[in-house]
Amino acid sequence: MTALETRPSDALANDRSHVFHSWSAQGMINPIVVAGAEGSWFWDEDGKRYLDFSSQLVNVNIGHQHPKLVAAIQEQAARLCTIAPFHANDARSEAARLIAERAPGDLDMVFFTNGGAEATENAIRMARLHTGRHKILTMYRSYHGATGGAIQLTGDPRRWPSEPGLPGVVKFWGPYPYRSAFHSSTVEEESERALQHLRDVLMVEGAQNIAAILLESVVGTNGILVPPPGYLEGVRALCDEFGIVLIADEVMSGFGRCGEWFAIDNWRVAPDLICFAKGVNSGYLPLGGVVISRRIAETFKTRQFPGGLTYSGHPLACASAVASINIFEEEGIIDHARHLGRDVIGPELEKLKAKHLSVGDVRGVGVFWAIELVKNRETREPLVPFNAAGEANAPMLELVAACKARNLWPFTHFNRIHVVPPLTTSDDEVRQGIAILDEVLELADARYAG
Ligand SMILES: Cc1ncc(COP(=O)(O)O)c(C=O)c1O
């Protein structure tokens, strides 16, 4: 029996017996069996439909089963499925050209990987070799992947079980106006103080030892933290002052998610390296990479770059990136993302905040938004504690269950609901999803203790 002939009802039994899932206690999960998907919807084998307010893992930017993207993959599969990375290939060359042309500054070469973690791993390898220094600075509130090095770059608690690991990674606090580590009361103050803190970290670590500052242009899973005015410009200036490589991790925030090709374009700052994955081809095939500035590419002109992957620049994955970028242009998808954020999601979430006491803060850009839930607006005590598990996390699990019961698939993290549907979602669908959030937030309000 081939995979396609397998009875759908076998999928769950075989999953439970043989599939070892990410980030899970294997006996504690009960996945739904997804039978199909289209646009901003997917459905299970009983035909129950879900409006995808998560874009799966915030990667299906173009929506599910875009017919032109599916056709491009089929066409490339019929032409050439695979070829070793040391050959040149038209799909790979075109993908690299299209990505480089959209990247800011003088970033114009692309090293392809299979996903985001391999992108951050290779970006820090490039930065270390380019500078001859070893330390890497990353934020506490960050995620950079789950491979050996990337999980140490990661600031959030997913790092803890993998410690100790890669030496030389130092963490710092980034700006977060709603929960300022610097006791600031305005975004301007937050920006200024976060930059002074970073300067202090450079001083005590020895700026001359620091190869790179790696940050998410807009912090994703760890809070949708949109940098306050002047922050990214200030980090760029510090990097220039001390000869440090600035790496923008745009794995989640790139490719239209923040209403620009790259999130950092919102601030007109050019990093030295950009890590991408997810939205580059909406995960139709595994693909990621690093976009490289001319100066860093120059380092490896006559000196070997000591890194590689069998599937670097895989033609099928690259053909899907080419098709996806062209579809984004033809269909004005980035303009639509900007419109959704400005005219629909932003104003609708402000209404939720006005109505529900449990909504402490709403923030975002493009189609990248968070609703931060609190027990008390005055103290800002979160609805559930940092990194809550089990019973302590019950209030969030209750919200998730209520969303799913109403055919909405949410993305939640800690005490937040993220609003991150595909960029192609219609205004009406977005309103439909937010109306469901409006209903379920009554549950969070019931736990309000302010
Ligand atoms: C900002 C960021 N960097 C890196 C990664 C890792 O990407 P991948 O899961 O493709 O390895 C992620 C994944 O969510 C991410 O959000």
Side-chain angles (χ1 to χ4, degrees), residues 52-63 218 224 250-263 266 278-279 282 328 333-334 337-338 340-341 345 364-369 419-425:
D52 189 352
F53 253 36
S54 65
S55 301
Q56 299 303 295
L57 284 175
V58 201
N59 65 312
V60 189
N61 290 10
I62 205 169
V218 175
I224 315 283
E250 297 246 354
V251 168
M252 190 177 271
S253 61
F255 287 92
R257 179 56 63 187
C258 293
E260 297 283 350
W261 280 106
F262 292 98
N266 282 294
K278 295 190 188 262
S282 291
F328 267 49
I333 290 175
I334 293 186
R338 215 176 293 137
L340 280 180
I345 306 177
V365 59
V367 191
F368 208 36
W369 288 79
V419 176
V420 285
L423 315 185
T424 48
T425 309

Side-chain angles (χ1 to χ4, degrees), residues 340-352:
L340 280 180
R342 186 187 54 220
D343 305 323
V344 186
I345 306 177
E348 291 297 329
L349 296 194
E350 284 297 339
K351 285 188 212 162
L352 292 187

